[in-house]
Amino acid sequence: MKPALEQLLRGQDQVWRGLQTDSASGIATGFAELDALLPGGGWPNGALMHWQLPHIGIGELPLLLPAMAALSRQGQRIVWLAPPYQAYAPGLQQAGVELGQLLVVTCPEAADLPWALEVLLRSGGCGMALAWPKRPLAAHQTRRLQLAAEAGNALAVLFAVGHAAQARHAALQLALRRESGGLRLRIAKARGSLRQLDLLLAI
């Protein structure tokens, strides 16, 4: 790239540079081998993640616990929106999560979840939000959530349980499955990378 063009683009914060990401902009996952694969060196900050899993309880929450613990210790709010089960407080506390920063929100009407999540993300008072929608969200809804996460500088995780829905606007798309050796992660899409990768974590 010509130096003049490179200099011009450096001064434009609103121009997305495709495969270029800040190498230290991510939130450490707590798993060095996973951090090494993710652009930014961790979970994407200010972004929507879409996790596809065959069923609940295959190890998805242990994968997030180190980041939850770190963010809560920094005084950031962790929100669980419409979780399928009650949060187990002693387990979270043992993992280092500050329980005073944890907020569990029920959502009796499934149609309210996208709106509630968007409000949380845009509020600027939420460091991480986990949400369990009962049905796939439309493309325009995931687009709004990605923009809300960027605006509020929050990390959002959408769990797609038992269905093959895609969230093409999400910055990071993972497919998880349990294997005998641990938790298999397939990185289907990561903003800042063209690679699709597989990783087996012993958790």
Side-chain angles (χ1 to χ4, degrees):
M1 183 180 296
K2 294 183 178 179
L5 178 58
E6 178 67 27
Q7 185 176 3
L8 177 65
L9 289 174
R10 281 186 185 165
Q12 303 295 319
D13 293 339
Q14 300 301 315
V15 177
W16 180 50
R17 304 289 304 279
L19 299 181
Q20 294 185 0
T21 58
D22 183 348
S23 61
S25 62
I27 300 168
T29 66
F31 304 93
E33 59 270 52
L34 179 56
D35 288 343
L37 295 180
L38 294 173
W43 302 128
N45 199 15
L48 175 69
M49 297 198 295
H50 184 263
W51 289 19
Q52 195 172 44
L53 24 151
H55 54 83
I56 292 166
I58 63 170
E60 66 274 20
L61 287 181
L63 188 55
L64 287 169
L65 281 175
M68 276 195 273
L71 291 173
S72 67
R73 287 196 300 266
Q74 295 169 12
Q76 298 195 48
R77 183 79 66 192
I78 310 296
V79 180
W80 290 19
L81 183 59
Y85 300 109
Q86 187 173 2
Y88 184 60
L92 293 171
Q93 195 168 32
Q94 187 175 15
V97 177
E98 293 287 340
L99 296 183
Q101 296 298 326
L102 181 66
L103 178 66
V104 179
V105 180
T106 60
C107 198
E109 298 295 330
D112 292 338
L113 185 139
W115 172 82
L117 182 55
E118 182 178 346
V119 170
L120 281 167
L121 295 173
R122 284 193 185 279
S123 70
C126 176
M128 177 189 279
L130 315 183
W132 288 262
K134 292 180 179 174
R135 56 177 180 247
L137 301 186
H140 74 276
Q141 291 173 313
T142 57
R143 171 71 175 153
R144 290 182 65 94
L145 293 174
Q146 171 61 36
L147 293 174
E150 290 176 13
N153 197 32
L155 175 62
V157 186
L158 271 181
F159 295 104
V161 182
H163 54 76
Q166 298 291 317
R168 63 188 173 100
H169 297 297
L172 180 63
Q173 292 185 21
L174 291 182
L176 284 66
R177 70 173 188 270
R178 173 58 60 184
E179 294 184 359
S180 59
L183 186 64
R184 172 72 66 183
L185 281 71
R186 179 175 182 273
I187 302 173
K189 173 193 170 188
R191 183 178 287 179
S193 172
L194 294 176
R195 298 184 300 169
Q196 294 189 347
L197 300 166
D198 281 283
L199 175 67
L200 183 64
L201 288 177
I203 58 174

